[in-house]
Amino acid sequence: MEIYKQEFIEFMVECGVLKFGDFVTKSGRKTPFFVNTGFYQTGSQLKKLGEYYARAIEQKYGHEFDVLFGPAYKGIPLSVTTAISLSELYGADIRYCSNRKEIKDHGDKGILLGSPIYDKDRVVIIEDVTTAGTSIGETMPIIKAQGAVDIIGLVVSVDRMERGQGTKSALKEIEENYQIVTTAIVTMQEVVEHLYNRPYCGKIIIDDKLKNEIDAYYEQYGVKE
């Protein structure tokens, strides 16, 4: 596993973004772990987060695209900080764009924030995490309504590695349904591999009990090969 992935896993724990316990996902699944990028709260944390996203994007797509689209609301700061990091780390001047939940009817009218999306633009979508793939179904029509654009990919912070609407993983379903390439900074398999029975700041984050709970969750919701 690359060093930056190991650092990112520990960064999520440090920031309280990756939590373990009893949670319910947006899709209604009870889960022993939860990822919420809303817990990144300081300038230094957002700067680091953008750098991790930028590394994952550069590794998967390079920087030969035009727009980084972050769906409201969490995607707004993600698109901004990552666009800045793409510029600083790779000299790539990528435009950022997000949507409003409600269309503005005065001043800067319309549904978009940041850059407009033009015909022939190549777009990468940035999100926090995808569980069952429901949110992408809301995002794609917003982008497609802007013109003849090429949506080339979706990047998330963590691939939860579980089924979407059918038997395949949510990210695999998205790839097949929308003909785009998906990627993540890390997968849950990598998270478990890095934290299981390994002390971090003097504490075991994933012990045998929690590992069994995670395994049971994947037995129910994981992809059946």
Side-chain angles (χ1 to χ4, degrees):
M1 189 191 317
E2 295 95 324
I3 296 297
Y4 85 89
K5 289 175 177 274
Q6 298 176 32
E7 292 175 350
F8 179 65
I9 292 167
E10 295 174 4
F11 175 63
M12 286 193 292
V13 173
E14 177 187 333
C15 295
V17 168
L18 174 61
K19 295 179 177 293
F20 298 96
D22 296 314
F23 306 97
V24 178
T25 68
K26 183 178 179 181
S27 57
R29 297 173 178 175
K30 293 183 179 180
T31 173
F33 57 90
F34 198 72
V35 179
N36 185 346
T37 56
F39 284 97
Y40 295 116
Q41 297 174 347
T42 70
S44 62
Q45 289 173 350
L46 287 172
K47 183 177 185 298
K48 276 188 176 181
L49 178 62
E51 291 170 355
Y52 289 123
Y53 266 110
R55 290 182 184 183
I57 289 171
E58 175 68 18
Q59 189 174 68
K60 191 71 173 184
Y61 313 108
H63 49 260
E64 297 302 317
F65 63 98
D66 305 293
V67 178
L68 189 62
F69 185 90
Y73 289 102
K74 291 179 183 176
I76 296 174
L78 296 182
S79 62
V80 172
T81 189
T82 305
I84 292 171
S85 292
L86 285 167
S87 175
E88 290 183 342
L89 294 177
Y90 304 108
D93 205 16
I94 305 297
R95 307 191 325 262
Y96 95 91
C97 180
S98 297
N99 64 296
R100 295 183 172 97
K101 288 289 189 179
E102 297 179 357
I103 298 176
K104 189 177 178 184
D105 60 4
H106 62 281
D108 179 21
K109 296 181 180 180
I111 195 171
L112 300 183
L113 297 166
S115 169
I117 298 177
Y118 303 108
D119 284 348
K120 299 183 180 180
D121 271 346
R122 297 158 297 177
V123 180
V124 170
I125 301 169
I126 184 170
E127 289 193 350
D128 57 347
V129 64
T130 295
T131 303
T134 51
S135 61
I136 194 72
E138 302 168 359
T139 301
M140 296 293 282
I142 295 172
I143 300 174
K144 290 290 189 182
Q146 308 308 311
V149 300
D150 181 14
I151 303 174
I152 63 175
L154 165 69
V155 58
V156 298
S157 60
V158 179
D159 178 359
R160 289 181 60 100
M161 300 181 67
E162 57 196 81
R163 295 195 309 276
Q165 305 300 322
T167 60
K168 298 180 180 179
S169 73
L171 288 183
K172 178 57 69 175
E173 284 183 351
I174 289 170
E175 285 192 338
E176 294 182 355
N177 292 340
Y178 298 103
Q179 298 299 298
I180 63 176
V181 177
T182 63
T183 194
I185 303 174
V186 294
T187 67
M188 271 308 297
Q189 181 179 347
E190 290 170 329
V191 169
V192 173
E193 174 189 328
H194 186 63
L195 294 179
Y196 177 48
N197 277 343
R198 179 178 297 175
Y200 172 66
C201 292
K203 180 181 178 182
I204 299 294
I205 305 297
I206 300 180
D207 57 14
D208 290 338
K209 180 177 180 294
L210 180 55
K211 175 67 161 52
N212 289 336
E213 291 174 359
I214 294 172
D215 289 345
Y217 180 78
Y218 280 111
E219 186 65 29
Q220 182 174 5
Y221 294 114
V223 177
K224 305 297 183 183
E225 297 294 346

